Amino acid sequence: MTHRKRHQRFKLKSLYVWHRYVGLTAALLIILLSITGIALNHTEQFRLDHRFVQSTLLLDWYGIEAPTTAIHYATNASSITLLDTRLFINAQQLDSEITSLKGALLHNDMLIVGQQDGLMLLTKEGQAIEHLGRNEGVPQGIERIGITATNDLIVETAIGRYKTDQDFMTWTIWLGDAGDAVWSIPSPISEAELAPLQTRFRGQILPWERVMLDLHSGRIFGIWGPWLMDVAAILMLFLAGSGVFIWWKRQR
């Protein structure tokens, strides 16, 4: 065997070794790209945009935290809590988001939740019945809500107090004394009550679709993640090129 042939065989063997180790190195990244790619291609079937991450470790990795303070009202049958824009009735989160909570009370077997721009009518269990706002004649700029001695619902705004009829159809100025009404006032919430609400709050923020996208692009690993995926792409190109070259040399 000539020196040239030995040299060529040595180079081919070295390329084969590199091909093998690069393949082993790239295997995990290729598996990751393949799994996340398949998942993203079937987002609707897997409902990735409607399923949310519950893992504390993953939520911490993304820096997702729940508010540490809450606005809380309590009635004889319900606990009403506002965390940021999420409203919880007896630890059950409502679908709609609100920006203010000005009171909550029971009135005529309904739970009335006061907001700055209207009222939410719910069952005692927290099922939504109706939302009343400006178009329904509800006074705007509500600061608190209450019940009069004659069982009328009243609201207090910066420009006055108003009462409504039993059907919430008509609002009129209430001239009674504020001390004659029972007002809904906020109450403190214990850590034991707040903790499960914070867990629910965090568990409704991060969809699995976002995680799959970040895994696929490498962004989940921080600023170096996309570069890692670029390296994976380069490794795959090397594998393809070296594999074709090795095959061609062997054919010769």
Side-chain angles (χ1 to χ4, degrees):
M1 183 182 293
T2 65
H3 176 73
R4 182 178 180 182
K5 289 184 177 179
R6 285 198 302 267
H7 182 66
Q8 288 178 342
R9 179 165 292 185
F10 175 76
K11 289 196 297 182
L12 183 61
K13 184 177 180 180
S14 298
L15 181 61
Y16 177 79
V17 172
W18 274 103
H19 181 86
R20 180 175 59 186
Y21 284 113
V22 168
L24 291 174
T25 303
L28 291 177
L29 294 176
I30 294 172
I31 292 172
L32 177 63
L33 286 170
S34 301
I35 292 175
T36 55
I38 292 172
L40 290 170
N41 281 338
H42 300 278
T43 294
E44 293 182 358
Q45 291 89 333
F46 295 147
R47 293 179 56 82
L48 297 179
D49 53 342
H50 291 85
R51 298 180 186 274
F52 295 90
V53 174
Q54 304 296 320
S55 169
T56 301
L57 291 176
L58 198 50
L59 291 171
D60 288 342
W61 180 266
Y62 273 85
I64 295 175
E65 298 180 355
T68 56
T69 58
I71 301 174
H72 178 254
Y73 290 85
T75 69
N76 293 335
S78 305
S79 175
I80 302 92
T81 308
L82 181 64
L83 282 178
D84 194 24
T85 59
R86 309 288 180 86
L87 186 65
F88 294 86
I89 309 294
N90 294 332
Q92 183 65 38
Q93 181 179 320
L94 269 64
D95 292 335
S96 58
E97 297 185 355
I98 67 173
T99 57
S100 63
L101 180 59
K102 298 300 181 179
L105 49 80
L106 289 175
H107 178 65
N108 294 341
D109 291 326
M110 286 190 297
L111 178 61
I112 312 296
V113 175
Q115 305 173 64
Q116 192 171 23
D117 59 353
L119 300 172
M120 291 179 65
L121 311 184
L122 306 102
T123 65
K124 292 180 180 180
E125 294 74 25
Q127 299 296 319
I129 299 175
E130 189 176 3
H131 183 276
L132 304 177
R134 183 191 300 272
N135 293 336
E136 290 73 29
V138 179
Q140 299 297 286
I142 295 174
E143 296 179 350
R144 59 176 177 170
I145 64 176
I147 299 291
T148 67
T150 55
N151 200 37
D152 293 321
L153 177 69
I154 57 174
V155 300
E156 183 176 77
T157 70
I159 60 174
R161 304 184 186 98
Y162 302 85
K163 71 174 183 176
T164 185
D165 56 18
Q166 298 299 314
D167 297 321
F168 304 95
M169 298 294 292
T170 304
W171 291 86
T172 57
I173 296 176
W174 185 64
L175 300 176
D177 187 88
D180 295 334
V182 178
W183 298 97
S184 175
I185 58 175
S187 59
I189 183 171
S190 67
E191 289 292 332
E193 292 176 300
L194 183 59
L197 301 185
Q198 291 173 320
T199 300
R200 286 177 178 268
F201 181 95
R202 296 180 73 200
Q204 295 294 321
I205 294 178
L206 181 63
W208 277 106
E209 182 184 26
R210 165 72 184 280
V211 177
M212 291 296 107
L213 285 168
D214 288 346
L215 279 170
H216 195 74
S217 66
R219 290 187 177 88
I220 196 171
F221 303 114
I223 59 174
W224 296 106
W227 291 98
L228 180 63
M229 291 305 171
D230 290 344
V231 170
I234 293 171
L235 292 179
M236 284 188 282
L237 289 173
F238 172 81
L239 289 173
S242 60
V244 170
F245 182 77
I246 291 172
W247 172 84
W248 177 71
K249 292 293 288 185
R250 284 184 172 180
Q251 291 297 311
R252 292 187 60 187

